[in-house]
């Protein structure tokens, strides 16, 4: 893997970690809509890093989701439950950002935050595997 590609992967991974930390801070301040947004984007940045390990990229969220499903979920490299969670967080982020009168259950969002932490760690491990193949 070339150095610029490795640098971009590391940058996206760091951005994912920081974004998840932002979600935790926002949760502690009861900013629930922002937490949902940050959970989604933490996953999004980590998945972009994963795609980059295969020289794949997209400027659109739909493209990232499609390539992630095709190259990592359907191939069994990433567990299906991570793919489902990512898809759900995309939907919840869309509702939270663009719909009116939406409310998220705080206990559910807390569960999503814990799940996101777990899944980011798993994606980190998969990225390491893909980099050193």
């Amino acid at each position: 893997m070339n150095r610029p590609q490795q640098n971009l992967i590391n940058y996206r991974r760091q951005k994912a970690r920081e974004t998840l930390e932002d979600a935790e801070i926002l949760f502690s301040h009861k900013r629930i809509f922002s937490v949902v947004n940050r959970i989604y984007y933490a996953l999004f940045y980590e998945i972009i890093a994963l795609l980059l390990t295969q020289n794949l990229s997209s400027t659109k969220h739909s493209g990232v989701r499609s390539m992630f499903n095709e190259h990592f979920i359907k191939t069994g490299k990433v567990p299906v439950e991570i793919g489902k969670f990512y898809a759900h967080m995309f939907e919840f982020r869309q509702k939270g950002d663009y719909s009116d009168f939406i409310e998220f259950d705080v206990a559910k969002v807390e569960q999503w935050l814990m799940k996101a932490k777990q899944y980011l760690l798993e994606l980190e491990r998969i990225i390491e595997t893909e980099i050193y193949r």
Side-chain angles (χ1 to χ4, degrees), residues 38-97:
R38 297 291 77 197
I39 290 171
Y40 168 73
Y41 274 100
L43 292 166
F44 178 72
Y45 298 140
E46 193 74 24
I47 289 167
I48 288 173
L50 180 59
L51 292 174
L52 287 167
T53 66
Q54 301 299 309
N55 293 313
L56 300 168
S57 66
S58 176
T59 58
K60 296 186 177 201
H61 291 264
S62 60
V64 169
R65 287 176 59 199
S66 176
M67 286 187 287
F68 177 57
N69 285 325
E70 181 181 340
H71 296 277
F72 291 95
I73 301 298
K74 288 181 181 175
T75 61
K77 290 180 180 180
V78 173
V80 171
E81 58 270 10
I82 293 178
K84 287 181 181 179
F85 182 69
Y86 177 58
H88 289 313
M89 291 313 304
F90 174 79
E91 292 170 20
F92 295 140
R93 195 271 308 181
Q94 291 281 99
K95 287 179 183 177
D97 286 355

